[in-house]
């Protein structure tokens, strides 16, 4: 995973302190960057990927008109 804040790349499966143990929130489901501590949400990454693909499709459709 690449941290959206600092760009540091890390393996989220090898983190000892994940989610609630790092930030104190209950059920946050985030991976905290070992470099800067920023909470990276895997669900948010999936949403951004979906939005990017949708935007590309719309651009292609509009460019053919």
């Amino acid at each position: 995973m690449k941290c959206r804040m600092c760009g540091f790349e890390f393996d989220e499966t090898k983190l000892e302190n994940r989610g609630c143990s790092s930030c104190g929130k209950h059920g946050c489901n985030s991976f905290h960057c070992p470099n800067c501590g920023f909470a990276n949400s895997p669900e948010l990454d999936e949403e951004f990927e979906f939005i990017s693909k949708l935007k590309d499709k719309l651009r292609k459709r509009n460019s053919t008109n």
Side-chain angles (χ1 to χ4, degrees):
M1 172 176 276
K2 186 173 183 178
C3 178
R4 289 190 310 278
M5 180 65 75
C6 70
F8 183 75
E9 291 193 33
F10 60 95
D11 185 355
E12 67 273 10
T13 61
K14 295 184 179 179
L15 292 177
E16 291 180 22
N17 295 326
R18 177 183 184 258
C20 298
S21 62
S22 295
C23 69
K25 293 181 183 177
H26 296 285
C28 72
N29 296 325
S30 295
F31 295 102
H32 292 265
C33 175
N35 188 51
C36 71
F38 183 76
N40 293 278
S41 172
E43 292 86 13
L44 190 60
D45 287 342
E46 291 172 11
E47 288 177 28
F48 278 123
E49 183 178 342
F50 171 75
I51 291 170
S52 295
K53 287 179 182 179
L54 184 60
K55 284 171 57 177
D56 288 341
K57 285 183 181 182
L58 290 172
R59 280 189 196 125
K60 287 178 185 177
R61 190 172 113 188
N62 288 338
S63 68
T64 59
N65 291 336

